[in-house]
Amino acid sequence: MVFVLPGDHLDPSLIPSHPKKALRLGPGVRHVPSDGVVPTVAGQLVTDHQKNAIRVETSEGRYAPRVGELVIATVHKSAAEVYYVTLSDYTTSALLPQLSFEGATRKTRPMLVPGALVYARVSLANKHMDPEVECVSPATGKSDGLGPLTGGMLFSVSLGMARRLMMPKSVQDGKVVILDELANAGLQFETATGRNGKFWVNSDSVKTIIAVGRAVVETDEKKLKVEEQQKLVRKLIKDVS
């Protein structure tokens, strides 16, 4: 993991290079003729060699949609062909086509009311257009786990926490073990995490939903270490049982 500060000089080895693709600069970096690629915010330097792209991810701040990212969207209102959904506070609504669900037709498409939650993938992110999301794979026509989220509760976490929760455990940084510890303690629940800083929990037990959500939020806000997360789980289990 490489963390940078605004104005840091980046070693050339950190900048991806592709013989056929132009370098793509994402959020948090810009090109300065005299210095090359320079970070403009503090955060983790992220490179994608396949796409020949580089960006800086921050834990705080406003979510900026990027194509391919999974998000939890809240339905704001519906129109003839689309749902208007929100990805974060104080940002433009995103568009969710009403037929962008597995097997959806004009007769079978889901009828989502304001406040309904959907797990979706960003399909269009252009600064000149409203972002768009989808709940189906355009390649297979399958949902691949996307779609309406029924029941449960939604919690807000930092963008950094959302990123860590979505990382494969083999490369996860920050040692976020809170969900594994809760499951090992016997709690049964399901979760979904959006890169837009949204965390959804569902369970047959309301106490379990609240305990899991509270545990993740507290781990995020207090930046708990592994031992502290384990201690928190032991305390919460007493409240649930």
Side-chain angles (χ1 to χ4, degrees), residues 133-171:
V133 298
E134 59 189 4
C135 292
V136 65
S137 167
T140 64
K142 301 296 184 181
S143 66
D144 295 336
L146 304 178
L149 296 174
T150 305
M153 292 180 64
L154 186 67
F155 299 85
S156 294
V157 295
S158 69
L159 299 182
M161 183 64 168
R163 174 179 56 81
R164 289 190 289 272
L165 288 172
M166 298 177 77
M167 277 184 170
K169 290 183 174 57
S170 58
V171 298

Side-chain angles (χ1 to χ4, degrees), residues 3-241:
F3 291 89
V4 295
L5 296 173
D8 275 356
H9 171 75
L10 298 183
D11 189 281
S13 63
L14 297 175
I15 302 174
S17 176
H18 195 283
K20 297 182 179 180
K21 295 181 180 179
L23 180 64
R24 297 173 58 184
L25 302 182
V29 292
R30 65 187 178 94
H31 181 264
V32 178
S34 59
D35 299 319
V37 178
V38 177
T40 58
V41 297
Q44 180 189 348
L45 187 69
V46 178
T47 56
D48 187 326
H49 292 277
Q50 185 175 2
K51 296 181 179 179
N52 202 37
I54 185 170
R55 67 180 189 271
V56 175
E57 288 196 353
T58 60
S59 294
E60 308 299 335
R62 182 181 300 177
Y63 172 68
R66 287 188 282 267
V67 172
E69 290 185 338
L70 299 179
V71 295
I72 297 178
T74 303
V75 175
H76 176 59
K77 63 180 181 178
S78 63
E81 303 293 335
V82 301
Y83 291 109
Y84 290 89
V85 299
T86 56
L87 303 182
S88 60
D89 297 334
Y90 314 114
T91 56
T92 303
S93 293
L95 305 179
L96 170 61
Q98 293 190 6
L99 298 182
S100 185
F101 295 85
E102 182 175 347
T105 66
R106 293 188 181 277
K107 292 184 177 180
T108 64
R109 58 188 176 183
M111 304 302 292
L112 302 177
V113 300
L117 303 176
V118 290
Y119 201 33
R121 179 189 299 107
V122 178
S123 56
L124 175 66
N126 186 315
K127 63 181 180 180
H128 301 297
M129 302 173 64
D130 290 336
E132 292 187 12
V133 298
E134 59 189 4
C135 292
V136 65
S137 167
T140 64
K142 301 296 184 181
S143 66
D144 295 336
L146 304 178
L149 296 174
T150 305
M153 292 180 64
L154 186 67
F155 299 85
S156 294
V157 295
S158 69
L159 299 182
M161 183 64 168
R163 174 179 56 81
R164 289 190 289 272
L165 288 172
M166 298 177 77
M167 277 184 170
K169 290 183 174 57
S170 58
V171 298
Q172 193 177 89
D173 68 323
K175 302 297 183 181
V176 180
V177 301
I178 191 71
L179 293 179
D180 288 338
E181 292 292 328
L182 289 164
N184 292 338
L187 298 189
Q188 297 183 341
F189 56 90
E190 59 178 323
T191 67
T193 306
R195 283 293 281 109
N196 54 329
K198 303 300 179 183
F199 177 73
W200 175 82
V201 190
N202 194 23
S203 173
D204 292 335
S205 166
V206 175
K207 284 187 176 181
T208 294
I209 293 175
I210 295 173
V212 174
R214 176 184 168 189
V216 170
V217 170
E218 190 167 333
T219 297
D220 179 28
E221 291 179 345
K222 297 183 178 179
K223 296 178 172 56
L224 300 183
K225 298 179 180 179
V226 171
E227 297 78 8
E228 295 170 324
Q229 293 175 53
Q230 293 169 337
K231 182 179 179 180
L232 175 60
V233 168
R234 290 193 293 270
K235 178 179 181 297
L236 291 174
I237 289 300
K238 294 179 180 179
D239 297 336
V240 174
S241 56

